[in-house]
mmCIF file with all atom_site columns, all heavy atoms in Angstrom:
data_model
loop_
_atom_site.group_PDB
_atom_site.id
_atom_site.type_symbol
_atom_site.label_atom_id
_atom_site.label_alt_id
_atom_site.label_comp_id
_atom_site.label_asym_id
_atom_site.label_entity_id
_atom_site.label_seq_id
_atom_site.pdbx_PDB_ins_code
_atom_site.Cartn_x
_atom_site.Cartn_y
_atom_site.Cartn_z
_atom_site.occupancy
_atom_site.B_iso_or_equiv
_atom_site.pdbx_formal_charge
_atom_site.auth_seq_id
_atom_site.auth_comp_id
_atom_site.auth_asym_id
_atom_site.auth_atom_id
_atom_site.pdbx_PDB_model_num
ATOM 1  N N   . ILE L 1 411 ? -0.981 8.438   -6.105  1.00 96.00 ? 1383 ILE L N   1
ATOM 2  C CA  . ILE L 1 411 ? -0.998 7.053   -6.019  1.00 96.00 ? 1383 ILE L CA  1
ATOM 3  C C   . ILE L 1 411 ? -0.171 6.576   -7.258  1.00 96.00 ? 1383 ILE L C   1
ATOM 4  O O   . ILE L 1 411 ? -0.565 6.901   -8.357  1.00 96.00 ? 1383 ILE L O   1
ATOM 5  C CB  . ILE L 1 411 ? -2.295 6.382   -5.879  1.00 96.00 ? 1383 ILE L CB  1
ATOM 6  C CG1 . ILE L 1 411 ? -3.051 6.695   -4.645  1.00 96.00 ? 1383 ILE L CG1 1
ATOM 7  C CG2 . ILE L 1 411 ? -2.130 4.878   -6.050  1.00 96.00 ? 1383 ILE L CG2 1
ATOM 8  C CD1 . ILE L 1 411 ? -4.496 6.227   -4.581  1.00 96.00 ? 1383 ILE L CD1 1
ATOM 9  N N   . ILE L 1 412 ? 0.844  5.763   -6.890  1.00 96.00 ? 1384 ILE L N   1
ATOM 10 C CA  . ILE L 1 412 ? 1.496  4.964   -8.061  1.00 96.00 ? 1384 ILE L CA  1
ATOM 11 C C   . ILE L 1 412 ? 1.208  3.529   -7.937  1.00 96.00 ? 1384 ILE L C   1
ATOM 12 O O   . ILE L 1 412 ? 1.623  2.906   -6.838  1.00 96.00 ? 1384 ILE L O   1
ATOM 13 C CB  . ILE L 1 412 ? 3.089  5.206   -8.091  1.00 96.00 ? 1384 ILE L CB  1
ATOM 14 C CG1 . ILE L 1 412 ? 3.320  6.729   -8.245  1.00 96.00 ? 1384 ILE L CG1 1
ATOM 15 C CG2 . ILE L 1 412 ? 3.662  4.434   -9.276  1.00 96.00 ? 1384 ILE L CG2 1
ATOM 16 C CD1 . ILE L 1 412 ? 4.747  7.161   -8.165  1.00 96.00 ? 1384 ILE L CD1 1
ATOM 17 N N   . ASP L 1 413 ? 0.399  2.956   -8.812  1.00 95.00 ? 1385 ASP L N   1
ATOM 18 C CA  . ASP L 1 413 ? 0.111  1.583   -8.820  1.00 95.00 ? 1385 ASP L CA  1
ATOM 19 C C   . ASP L 1 413 ? 1.077  0.850   -9.650  1.00 95.00 ? 1385 ASP L C   1
ATOM 20 O O   . ASP L 1 413 ? 1.020  0.711   -10.778 1.00 95.00 ? 1385 ASP L O   1
ATOM 21 C CB  . ASP L 1 413 ? -1.389 1.355   -9.217  1.00 95.00 ? 1385 ASP L CB  1
ATOM 22 C CG  . ASP L 1 413 ? -1.798 -0.193  -9.267  1.00 95.00 ? 1385 ASP L CG  1
ATOM 23 O OD1 . ASP L 1 413 ? -1.038 -0.911  -8.791  1.00 95.00 ? 1385 ASP L OD1 1
ATOM 24 O OD2 . ASP L 1 413 ? -2.901 -0.420  -9.676  1.00 95.00 ? 1385 ASP L OD2 1
ATOM 25 N N   . ASP L 1 414 ? 1.952  0.064   -8.894  1.00 94.00 ? 1386 ASP L N   1
ATOM 26 C CA  . ASP L 1 414 ? 3.091  -0.773  -9.587  1.00 94.00 ? 1386 ASP L CA  1
ATOM 27 C C   . ASP L 1 414 ? 2.920  -2.174  -9.024  1.00 94.00 ? 1386 ASP L C   1
ATOM 28 O O   . ASP L 1 414 ? 3.837  -2.812  -8.799  1.00 94.00 ? 1386 ASP L O   1
ATOM 29 C CB  . ASP L 1 414 ? 4.389  -0.219  -9.298  1.00 94.00 ? 1386 ASP L CB  1
ATOM 30 C CG  . ASP L 1 414 ? 5.481  -0.757  -10.245 1.00 94.00 ? 1386 ASP L CG  1
ATOM 31 O OD1 . ASP L 1 414 ? 5.164  -1.171  -11.419 1.00 94.00 ? 1386 ASP L OD1 1
ATOM 32 O OD2 . ASP L 1 414 ? 6.596  -1.049  -9.840  1.00 94.00 ? 1386 ASP L OD2 1
ATOM 33 N N   . SER L 1 415 ? 1.661  -2.682  -8.811  1.00 90.00 ? 1387 SER L N   1
ATOM 34 C CA  . SER L 1 415 ? 1.353  -3.974  -8.095  1.00 90.00 ? 1387 SER L CA  1
ATOM 35 C C   . SER L 1 415 ? 1.309  -5.133  -8.971  1.00 90.00 ? 1387 SER L C   1
ATOM 36 O O   . SER L 1 415 ? 1.019  -6.221  -8.476  1.00 90.00 ? 1387 SER L O   1
ATOM 37 C CB  . SER L 1 415 ? 0.204  -3.750  -7.182  1.00 90.00 ? 1387 SER L CB  1
ATOM 38 O OG  . SER L 1 415 ? -1.018 -3.488  -8.066  1.00 90.00 ? 1387 SER L OG  1
ATOM 39 N N   . TYR L 1 416 ? 1.416  -4.964  -10.338 1.00 87.00 ? 1388 TYR L N   1
ATOM 40 C CA  . TYR L 1 416 ? 1.341  -6.072  -11.126 1.00 87.00 ? 1388 TYR L CA  1
ATOM 41 C C   . TYR L 1 416 ? 2.164  -7.255  -10.900 1.00 87.00 ? 1388 TYR L C   1
ATOM 42 O O   . TYR L 1 416 ? 1.820  -8.421  -10.660 1.00 87.00 ? 1388 TYR L O   1
ATOM 43 C CB  . TYR L 1 416 ? 1.478  -5.575  -12.639 1.00 87.00 ? 1388 TYR L CB  1
ATOM 44 C CG  . TYR L 1 416 ? 1.473  -6.746  -13.644 1.00 87.00 ? 1388 TYR L CG  1
ATOM 45 C CD1 . TYR L 1 416 ? 0.391  -7.429  -14.007 1.00 87.00 ? 1388 TYR L CD1 1
ATOM 46 C CD2 . TYR L 1 416 ? 2.740  -7.071  -14.271 1.00 87.00 ? 1388 TYR L CD2 1
ATOM 47 C CE1 . TYR L 1 416 ? 0.337  -8.481  -14.854 1.00 87.00 ? 1388 TYR L CE1 1
ATOM 48 C CE2 . TYR L 1 416 ? 2.793  -8.025  -15.192 1.00 87.00 ? 1388 TYR L CE2 1
ATOM 49 C CZ  . TYR L 1 416 ? 1.618  -8.868  -15.529 1.00 87.00 ? 1388 TYR L CZ  1
ATOM 50 O OH  . TYR L 1 416 ? 1.674  -9.725  -16.352 1.00 87.00 ? 1388 TYR L OH  1
ATOM 51 N N   . ASN L 1 417 ? 3.487  -7.046  -10.803 1.00 80.00 ? 1389 ASN L N   1
ATOM 52 C CA  . ASN L 1 417 ? 4.547  -7.998  -10.584 1.00 80.00 ? 1389 ASN L CA  1
ATOM 53 C C   . ASN L 1 417 ? 5.649  -7.540  -9.814  1.00 80.00 ? 1389 ASN L C   1
ATOM 54 O O   . ASN L 1 417 ? 6.438  -6.671  -10.406 1.00 80.00 ? 1389 ASN L O   1
ATOM 55 C CB  . ASN L 1 417 ? 4.842  -8.706  -11.907 1.00 80.00 ? 1389 ASN L CB  1
ATOM 56 C CG  . ASN L 1 417 ? 5.644  -9.954  -11.779 1.00 80.00 ? 1389 ASN L CG  1
ATOM 57 O OD1 . ASN L 1 417 ? 5.616  -10.490 -10.657 1.00 80.00 ? 1389 ASN L OD1 1
ATOM 58 N ND2 . ASN L 1 417 ? 6.279  -10.342 -12.820 1.00 80.00 ? 1389 ASN L ND2 1
ATOM 59 N N   . VAL L 1 418 ? 5.849  -7.985  -8.663  1.00 85.00 ? 1390 VAL L N   1
ATOM 60 C CA  . VAL L 1 418 ? 6.974  -7.427  -7.660  1.00 85.00 ? 1390 VAL L CA  1
ATOM 61 C C   . VAL L 1 418 ? 8.271  -8.173  -8.013  1.00 85.00 ? 1390 VAL L C   1
ATOM 62 O O   . VAL L 1 418 ? 8.318  -9.383  -8.102  1.00 85.00 ? 1390 VAL L O   1
ATOM 63 C CB  . VAL L 1 418 ? 6.621  -7.607  -6.271  1.00 85.00 ? 1390 VAL L CB  1
ATOM 64 C CG1 . VAL L 1 418 ? 7.743  -6.985  -5.463  1.00 85.00 ? 1390 VAL L CG1 1
ATOM 65 C CG2 . VAL L 1 418 ? 5.260  -6.921  -5.975  1.00 85.00 ? 1390 VAL L CG2 1
ATOM 66 N N   . ASN L 1 419 ? 9.318  -7.419  -8.325  1.00 89.00 ? 1391 ASN L N   1
ATOM 67 C CA  . ASN L 1 419 ? 10.644 -8.041  -8.410  1.00 89.00 ? 1391 ASN L CA  1
ATOM 68 C C   . ASN L 1 419 ? 11.622 -6.996  -7.867  1.00 89.00 ? 1391 ASN L C   1
ATOM 69 O O   . ASN L 1 419 ? 11.344 -5.767  -7.844  1.00 89.00 ? 1391 ASN L O   1
ATOM 70 C CB  . ASN L 1 419 ? 10.993 -8.467  -9.884  1.00 89.00 ? 1391 ASN L CB  1
ATOM 71 C CG  . ASN L 1 419 ? 11.154 -7.334  -10.797 1.00 89.00 ? 1391 ASN L CG  1
ATOM 72 O OD1 . ASN L 1 419 ? 12.286 -6.738  -10.884 1.00 89.00 ? 1391 ASN L OD1 1
ATOM 73 N ND2 . ASN L 1 419 ? 10.152 -6.975  -11.540 1.00 89.00 ? 1391 ASN L ND2 1
#
Side-chain angles (χ1 to χ4, degrees):
I1383 293 171
I1384 299 177
D1385 182 0
D1386 193 36
S1387 60
Y1388 170 72
N1389 192 14
V1390 181
N1391 70 85

